[in-house]
Amino acid sequence: NAPSKSGLPKYQDVFANALIAEAERDPRIVAITAAMPDGTSLGKFGQVFPDRFYDVGIAEGHGVTFAAGLAAAGARPVCGIYSTFLQRAIDSIIHDVALQELPVIFAMDRAGLVGADGATHQGAFDITYLRMIPGMVCLAPSDENELTGALATALEWDGPSAFRFPRGTGTGVAIDSLAAPWPHGKARWLKAHDDAKVSILALGPIATDACAAADQLATQGIATNVLDMRFIKPIDEAAILQLASDEDMRFIVAEEGVLAGGFGSSVLELLNANDRANKVRCIGFPDRFIEHGNVATQYAEFGLDQAGLVAAAKALCTQSARMVRPNEVSH
């Protein structure tokens, strides 16, 4: 776990350090991984708490069922597993954790694009495969300090929960020594304008580019709200419906995951259930396996970077009041 060349903290190290700090206060916390002690930095946790750390090997399903047993006995297990490999345990998550309403936490490293790790490691599907599970709370922190808040929030929840964070380094924000849990199911407003024409609902670290896009759009006369959604599930219905009460409000939903059944789908479901006809643009991964590649290039390809968000907002403001197709971005 060598420090990053940029000097910025790695998300995996922020996660491990935050978990160690939480475990010092709560003796119930145990950490589990599946042959990923270095990749998740949970090996650091094992050095501090050797009797509260378990590496189950390449057996994710067993790790999740094991965590369920520990939770049933009163422990607070945190499973640090890459997003792509947690897929192997979906049956165990549903039957052994969620059906029993057990407080197991899934810390999903390598969520989203992974660059050099290649197609097998892309964290593309976790938003979709977890939001379908009843009782599951899912979180998406937008930077390294928010990651510590996501952990605190998950530990406070008396049921199954998960949070996702990317490969690589954070943004360099200050990290709170004692993170506070987030208000349950509530987004965080990053940009707010009374005369906004567009609202960007950003999930995870995309919030940084969303704020930069909003600043650029402001210079072109397009006032833009930005919400760091924080919660994949439960979605902040009140905030979205308040914005949607203005029938001219356009929404951009930006997520680092597949569009099929993703967070954008939950926004569309909410608007449909409440008879809202606002224009919505969902931006995320297309319906294909994402190959090895440069992350910045792929962000641009999918319209998830600052330029893509600006183009999407400008297109929305010039189109007729029809529902646009997902990923319909003009570069």
Side-chain angles (χ1 to χ4, degrees):
N1 295 325
S4 67
K5 294 179 181 179
S6 66
L8 297 172
K10 294 181 180 179
Y11 275 101
Q12 64 187 64
D13 290 333
V14 173
F15 159 61
N17 291 337
L19 187 60
I20 290 169
E22 294 285 358
E24 288 171 343
R25 292 188 289 269
D26 188 346
R28 300 174 302 162
I29 292 175
V30 298
I32 299 169
T33 193
M36 305 166 211
D38 294 330
T40 62
S41 291
L42 282 179
K44 297 171 63 175
F45 183 98
Q47 292 174 358
V48 180
F49 301 107
D51 296 332
R52 295 159 64 182
F53 172 67
Y54 304 93
D55 184 347
V56 301
I58 305 177
E60 289 83 359
H62 165 63
V64 170
T65 301
F66 175 50
L70 291 174
R76 292 306 309 269
V78 178
C79 295
I81 299 175
Y82 292 1
S83 165
T84 189
F85 296 137
L86 191 61
Q87 293 159 192
R88 295 170 172 166
I90 187 66
D91 182 73
S92 299
I93 294 171
I94 293 172
H95 289 279
D96 298 333
V97 176
L99 270 170
Q100 319 306 323
E101 300 179 350
L102 292 169
V104 176
I105 297 169
F106 301 101
M108 296 177 294
D109 197 345
R110 270 58 168 185
L113 297 173
V114 297
D117 283 350
T120 58
H121 283 54
Q122 304 285 11
F125 305 110
D126 60 88
I127 295 171
T128 294
Y129 71 69
L130 289 178
R131 68 171 284 259
M132 71 178 182
I133 300 175
M136 180 70 71
V137 168
C138 303
L139 316 169
S142 57
D143 59 38
E144 59 268 41
N145 187 53
E146 285 284 289
L147 174 54
T148 66
L151 174 60
T153 305
L155 286 167
E156 188 180 62
W157 180 246
D158 190 23
S161 61
F163 57 89
R164 68 192 320 257
F165 56 95
R167 179 180 188 263
T169 59
T171 61
V173 299
I175 298 176
D176 296 333
S177 57
L178 181 61
W182 299 339
H184 191 68
K186 297 299 181 183
R188 180 174 66 134
W189 287 79
L190 300 180
K191 302 278 186 181
H193 301 278
D194 291 337
D195 59 343
K197 301 176 181 179
V198 179
S199 292
I200 302 176
L201 310 183
L203 202 62
I206 293 169
T208 298
D209 277 335
C211 287
D215 290 340
Q216 182 177 340
L217 288 163
T219 67
Q220 301 174 33
I222 301 175
T224 304
N225 297 322
V226 178
L227 281 77
D228 172 7
M229 295 310 298
R230 282 184 163 175
F231 285 82
I232 299 166
K233 183 181 181 182
I235 188 173
D236 191 342
E237 296 185 359
I240 295 171
L241 291 177
Q242 178 186 357
L243 290 167
S245 63
D246 176 0
E247 62 183 16
D248 293 325
M249 178 61 68
R250 294 90 161 169
F251 290 99
I252 294 172
V253 186
E255 61 188 301
E256 201 171 340
V258 293
L259 288 168
F263 183 70
S265 294
S266 68
V267 174
L268 292 170
E269 291 160 10
L270 174 65
L271 295 175
N272 180 68
N274 288 272
D275 298 319
R276 302 297 184 185
N278 304 77
K279 290 189 287 185
V280 179
R281 177 72 55 82
C282 297
I283 305 177
F285 297 167
D287 188 25
R288 72 170 195 261
F289 291 108
I290 309 302
E291 62 281 355
H292 167 105
N294 176 272
V295 171
T297 300
Q298 290 179 328
Y299 280 143
E301 176 188 355
F302 303 142
L304 288 166
D305 61 351
Q306 178 181 340
L309 295 171
V310 168
K314 293 171 69 174
L316 275 175
C317 289
T318 57
Q319 288 172 350
S320 61
R322 63 183 178 87
M323 189 68 77
V324 296
R325 293 188 298 274
N327 240 24
E328 186 182 76
V329 177
S330 299
H331 294 288

